[in-house]
């Protein structure tokens, strides 16, 4: 049926509204529009699906997404890379400050330890942030948590900005902990906020903004830290302090946008505020069907109950899901990605690249990262999760092996230095295809609503703890065994790929219920059949559980 003119469209909408009006509070509400796949020409005038698409992408939703993502996810990417290029300048500041205090320069071992602490304090702060984010989002709301989180970006920005004048490198190390807390909180709170703001038909696109802004932050850090811009003796305090600018913009802009409607309705019970927020976000007056959807979802969650982290480790029916998310998040970091990000300039120098040129290679790597992440996002529904993960780890492991050989024999064959640079590009491309973006997709898919919050806490803790370990240990390993350090990452890539190939199922195109059934067979447990009329998004946890 075509509804070409406004009058026909209004009649069509009224008809659908009458068809989907709930008969009772417990009756599931049907979709307000036909659930058939979108027509190829979404922009065709008169298509109900195109009408809903244009209706869903409202300016308020777009601006709220940009404000939240730019002020939060940006911090993660920016602070991963910001100390990479100017590391020699910062080390000189550490040494000069130490000389002014003690009349002698630091021992190389002490300087290496201090720099390792500077790098690794960021993921340590992220780990601390992941432990408190659950309490914050429940007590303060999703938007409220992001606003409070701005403190952990603005304060350290000021401290790092004055560290040179104060002649205190300790301020940099302490500030790295605080910006890490900021990144750890936003790593969980931001996806939750964006997912609850977006309508169902735009949730996937809006959700990817977290990863997009992480990459933008990383890329801008690489640009600003060029020696010709701010990565020099006079500019590095400004370079480090810039992390507070996105947080300040968010602090000034985000209060004008709505809190998560789902949080406002379900946890605050404020229906009128929820209704006003949905009208702003959707651009239409009638939002009762979506509000009823949220009420139905709340009843399903209450029926299922919420599992604690301790429950998550004791339920046999969640055994392989838990192991899988731990392996995927640990493999993401232990495969060596942040070792490459943190110490890219050192790798290029070891590979024979002149110091004046290495900073521009780092920028080129950032471009590769952006391009390959976009390609992964565009193909994940077509190629599947397992294929992208296996291909990514295969490329990363192979790149580490070849890089080891190139570093070992470049003194004999100088041309191998160029092969080393190619290996770094190949590694970044492989990681951007699978290990970086895909775990964020599957961690939601393999856990049901009742266990997802606890799973996200475990997920975040593993992510940041392994990140911290790599940042702290890699410099010493690199000094001790040199090029052979990349063989460790190659081995970890291989082990992760083997686990994915043997254990992890393909989740593409499957409902939560179907994925739950696949893992139930692997866990050797039986799950009760879902009652008719219950949404597949929130089936209950098995009533009878046995521990490990």
């Amino acid at each position: 049926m075509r509804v070409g003119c406004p009058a026909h469209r209004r009649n069509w909408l009224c008809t659908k509204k009458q068809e989907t009006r709930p008969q009772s509070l417990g009756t599931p509400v049907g979709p307000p529009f036909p659930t058939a796949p979108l027509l190829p020409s979404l922009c065709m005038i008169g298509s109900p699906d195109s009408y809903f698409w244009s209706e869903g992408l409202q300016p308020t939703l777009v601006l709220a997404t940009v404000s939240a993502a730019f002020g939060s996810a940006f911090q993660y990417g920016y602070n991963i890379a910001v100390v990479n290029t100017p590391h020699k300048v910062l080390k000189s500041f550490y040494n000069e400050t130490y000389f002014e205090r003690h009349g002698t320069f630091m021992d190389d071992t002490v300087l290496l330890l201090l720099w390792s602490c500077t790098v690794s304090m960021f993921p340590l702060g992220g780990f601390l942030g992941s432990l408190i984010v659950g309490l914050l989002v429940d007590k303060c709301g999703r938007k409220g948590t992001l606003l409070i989180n701005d403190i952990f970006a603005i304060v350290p920005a000021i401290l790092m900005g004055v560290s040179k004048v104060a002649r205190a490198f300790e301020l940099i190390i302490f500030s790295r902990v605080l910006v890490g807390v900021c990144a750890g909180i936003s790593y969980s709170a931001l996806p939750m906020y964006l997912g609850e703001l977006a309508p169902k038909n735009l949730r996937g696109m809006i959700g990817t903004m977290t990863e997009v802004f992480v990459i933008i932050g990383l890329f801008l850090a690489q640009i600003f830290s060029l020696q010709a811009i701010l990565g020099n003796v006079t500019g590095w305090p400004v370079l480090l302090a810039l992390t507070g600018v996105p947080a300040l913009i968010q602090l000034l802009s985000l209060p004008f946008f709505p809190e998560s409607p789902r949080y406002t309705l379900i946890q605050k019970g404020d229906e009128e505020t929820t209704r006003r927020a949905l009208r702003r976000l959707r651009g239409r007056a009638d939002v009762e069907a979506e509000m009823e959807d949220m009420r139905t979802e709340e009843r399903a969650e209450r029926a299922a109950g919420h599992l604690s982290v301790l429950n998550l480790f004791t339920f046999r029916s969640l055994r392989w899901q838990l192991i899988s998310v731990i392996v995927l998040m640990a493999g993401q970091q232990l495969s060596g990605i942040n070792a490459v990000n943190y110490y890219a300039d050192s790798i290029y120098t070891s590979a024979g690249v002149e110091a004046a040129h290495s900073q521009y290679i780092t920028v080129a790597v950032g471009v590769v990262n952006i391009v390959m992440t976009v390609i992964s996002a565009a193909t994940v529904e077509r190629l599947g999760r397992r294929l992208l993960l296996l291909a990514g780890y295969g490329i990363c492991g192979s790149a580490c092996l070849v890089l080891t050989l190139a570093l070992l024999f470049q003194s004999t064959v100088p041309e191998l230095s160029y092969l080393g640079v190619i290996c770094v590009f190949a590694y970044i491309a492989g990681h951007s295809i699978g290990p970086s973006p895909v775990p964020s997709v599957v961690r939601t898919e393999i856990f049901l609503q009742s266990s997802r919050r606890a799973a996200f806490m475990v997920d975040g803790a593993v992510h940041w703890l392994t990140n911290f370990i790599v940042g702290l240990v890699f410099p010493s390993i690199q000094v001790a065994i040199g090029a052979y350090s990349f063989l460790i990452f190659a081995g970890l890539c291989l082990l992760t790929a083997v686990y994915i190939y043997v254990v992890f199922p393909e989740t593409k195109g499957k409902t939560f219920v179907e994925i739950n059934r696949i893992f139930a067979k692997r866990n050797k447990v039986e799950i009760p059949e879902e009652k008719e009329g219950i949404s597949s998004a929130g089936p209950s946890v098995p009533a009878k559980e046995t521990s490990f």
Side-chain angles (χ1 to χ4, degrees):
M1 174 182 177
R2 292 179 61 87
V3 279
C5 68
H8 289 167
R9 184 180 291 116
R10 285 194 298 270
N11 292 338
W12 184 85
L13 288 172
C14 292
T15 302
K16 297 309 296 179
K17 178 180 176 182
Q18 292 172 0
E19 290 174 359
T20 59
R21 189 179 301 279
Q23 299 301 316
S24 65
L25 191 61
T27 303
V29 180
F33 299 103
T35 57
L38 297 181
L39 296 174
S41 56
L42 282 175
C43 60
M44 181 183 66
I45 298 177
S47 166
D49 292 303
S50 67
Y51 176 74
F52 185 65
W53 180 274
S54 62
E55 184 186 51
L57 195 58
Q58 294 297 312
T60 299
L61 177 60
V62 173
L63 293 175
T65 299
V66 172
S67 174
F70 180 60
S72 299
F74 182 92
Q75 307 291 345
Y76 187 172
Y78 188 85
N79 287 290
I80 283 177
V82 72
V83 296
N84 178 22
T85 301
H87 67 95
K88 292 182 180 179
V89 176
L90 291 172
K91 287 178 181 177
S92 296
F93 170 68
Y94 284 21
N95 229 341
E96 292 168 3
T97 303
Y98 188 86
F99 181 83
E100 292 174 1
R101 296 176 184 176
H102 304 286
T104 183
F105 289 108
M106 292 184 192
D107 181 79
D108 289 343
T109 304
V110 175
L111 181 59
L112 177 62
L113 178 62
L114 276 178
W115 184 248
S116 298
C117 288
T118 303
V119 171
S120 59
M121 286 302 103
F122 175 69
L124 177 62
F127 174 74
L128 297 176
S130 69
L131 299 181
I132 64 175
V133 67
L135 178 63
L136 287 174
V137 294
D138 282 342
K139 297 295 184 181
C140 306
R142 283 58 163 151
K143 186 182 81 170
T145 297
L146 294 177
L147 291 172
I148 292 173
N149 196 34
D150 289 330
I151 297 173
F152 295 104
I154 295 174
V155 171
I158 296 173
L159 294 178
M160 289 188 289
V162 302
S163 60
K164 184 177 181 179
V165 175
R167 310 302 294 173
F169 59 80
E170 294 87 354
L171 291 178
I172 299 176
I173 299 175
F174 175 68
S175 297
R176 292 281 292 175
V177 178
L178 295 182
V179 293
V181 172
C182 174
I185 292 174
S186 64
Y187 180 75
S188 296
L190 177 62
M192 195 178 301
Y193 179 61
L194 297 183
E196 294 177 4
L197 280 188
K200 292 180 180 179
N201 63 321
L202 299 177
R203 191 168 295 162
M205 183 187 70
I206 297 296
T208 59
M209 291 301 103
T210 299
E211 185 68 20
V212 167
F213 275 87
V214 168
I215 296 172
I216 291 174
L218 193 150
F219 182 67
L220 288 181
Q222 293 168 339
I223 295 291
F224 292 150
S225 61
L226 291 175
Q227 188 174 0
I229 302 179
L230 293 175
N232 49 56
V233 175
T234 58
W236 67 260
V238 178
L239 175 68
L240 299 183
L242 281 178
T243 188
V245 174
L248 181 61
I249 293 174
Q250 183 184 81
L251 193 62
L252 296 175
S253 61
L254 194 59
F256 294 98
F257 299 107
E259 173 60 273
S260 158
R262 184 181 182 279
Y263 172 82
T264 305
L265 180 63
I266 296 177
Q267 294 185 246
K268 291 297 184 180
D270 190 342
E271 293 207 1
E272 188 54 38
T273 301
T274 303
R275 192 174 287 109
R276 289 198 303 267
L278 285 174
R279 286 171 178 170
R280 288 184 63 194
L281 292 167
R282 305 296 180 257
R284 52 187 164 87
D286 186 6
V287 293
E288 294 306 316
E290 188 169 356
M291 291 186 65
E292 183 60 28
D293 281 342
M294 286 189 281
R295 296 188 191 102
T296 304
E297 184 179 355
E298 183 212 3
R299 290 192 292 272
E301 288 185 17
R302 287 182 177 178
H306 293 286
L307 299 182
S308 66
V309 173
L310 181 61
N311 293 144
L312 201 64
F313 279 91
T314 56
F315 278 142
R316 180 177 177 179
S317 63
L318 298 174
R319 174 187 296 175
W320 284 107
Q321 292 95 312
L322 182 62
I323 294 174
S324 294
V325 77
I326 290 174
V327 169
L328 288 176
M329 297 313 298
Q332 183 187 67
Q333 300 302 315
L334 297 180
S335 58
I337 180 59
N338 282 328
V340 174
N341 285 330
Y342 289 141
Y343 305 103
D345 281 356
S346 299
I347 293 172
Y348 301 146
T349 302
S350 299
V353 179
E354 295 181 9
H357 298 157
S358 63
Q359 56 184 336
Y360 299 104
I361 295 179
T362 301
V363 173
V365 167
V367 174
V368 172
N369 194 358
I370 292 174
V371 172
M372 298 309 296
T373 301
V374 171
I375 291 175
S376 176
T379 59
V380 66
E381 293 297 342
R382 179 176 299 178
L383 300 179
R385 285 68 159 145
R386 290 180 82 247
L387 180 59
L388 290 179
L389 285 169
L390 291 172
Y393 278 112
I395 294 172
C396 290
S398 301
C400 286
L401 287 174
V402 178
L403 179 61
T404 302
L405 296 175
L407 294 176
L408 287 174
F409 296 105
Q410 67 181 6
S411 58
T412 306
V413 185
E415 291 77 10
L416 287 178
S417 61
Y418 299 103
L419 179 61
V421 175
I422 292 173
C423 288
V424 173
F425 275 79
Y427 180 93
I428 294 297
H431 214 277
S432 300
I433 288 174
S436 282
V438 175
S440 295
V441 177
V442 300
R443 65 174 177 166
T444 301
E445 296 176 325
I446 65 177
F447 287 98
L448 302 179
Q449 186 69 28
S450 56
S451 55
R452 197 168 291 149
R453 290 184 182 179
F456 270 42
M457 290 184 65
V458 175
D459 167 271
V462 172
H463 173 88
W464 289 106
L465 187 59
T466 50
N467 193 326
F468 169 74
I469 292 172
V470 172
L472 183 64
V473 174
F474 178 73
S476 300
I477 294 178
Q478 190 180 37
V479 171
I481 63 177
Y484 292 104
S485 59
F486 290 98
L487 289 179
I488 298 175
F489 295 131
L492 291 170
C493 286
L494 175 62
L495 291 176
T496 307
V498 169
Y499 177 88
I500 293 169
Y501 182 79
V502 174
V503 175
F504 194 78
E506 178 57 67
T507 59
K508 179 190 72 171
K510 294 182 173 63
T511 66
F512 292 138
V513 175
E514 292 169 337
I515 298 171
N516 191 35
R517 287 171 179 164
I518 293 172
F519 275 105
K521 292 179 180 178
R522 188 169 295 281
N523 291 322
K524 298 180 180 179
V525 297
E526 294 183 0
I527 60 174
E529 291 297 326
E530 290 76 23
K531 294 181 180 180
E532 185 177 359
I534 298 295
S535 171
S536 63
S540 62
V541 175
K544 295 183 179 180
E545 296 283 359
T546 57
S547 60
F548 282 90

